[in-house]
Amino acid sequence: EIPEGAAILSLADAWDAMRSARPYSDAVRCEEALSRCLDCRGTQFWAPAVDALERMIEEGRLPDPEQPGQAHRLDLVAS
């Protein structure tokens, strides 16, 4: 029984680790990172958090460092 907030932060931390270049690993593309999250949906990652992440990507509400000029903030307010 992991609190929802902790489950969300766990996914956010894993997403950041996958999408960021680290001394020990290269960053992975958005599609690959999402695929990894989907593969672990309901096991390592809380399913509703993965669903929300997927929606944010589909709706273009998640900043993508591969796209120059894109804002580096999350628009969490529904449009």
Side-chain angles (χ1 to χ4, degrees), residues 49-62:
V50 176
D51 294 343
L53 173 67
E54 185 175 30
R55 277 192 311 274
M56 289 178 70
I57 292 168
E58 288 173 355
E59 295 170 3
R61 295 190 307 148
L62 190 65

Side-chain angles (χ1 to χ4, degrees), residues 4-5 7 12 15-16 22-23 41 47-48 51 60 63 65 67 69-70 73 75:
E4 288 179 8
W15 179 263
D16 181 62
R22 307 287 176 140
R41 182 184 179 276
D51 294 343
Q67 301 298 318
Q70 200 174 50
R73 67 176 186 84
D75 182 7

Side-chain angles (χ1 to χ4, degrees), residues 3-75:
E4 288 179 8
I8 292 167
L9 288 175
S10 173
L11 176 61
D13 181 57
W15 179 263
D16 181 62
M18 287 185 274
R19 296 289 290 138
S20 301
R22 307 287 176 140
Y24 50 85
S25 68
D26 293 331
V28 299
R29 296 186 58 77
C30 181
E31 296 81 12
E32 173 64 22
L34 179 59
S35 176
R36 292 179 187 182
C37 292
L38 291 170
D39 287 346
C40 295
R41 182 184 179 276
T43 56
Q44 182 177 350
F45 301 126
W46 185 44
V50 176
D51 294 343
L53 173 67
E54 185 175 30
R55 277 192 311 274
M56 289 178 70
I57 292 168
E58 288 173 355
E59 295 170 3
R61 295 190 307 148
L62 190 65
D64 187 349
E66 295 166 5
Q67 301 298 318
Q70 200 174 50
H72 292 287
R73 67 176 186 84
L74 295 179
D75 182 7

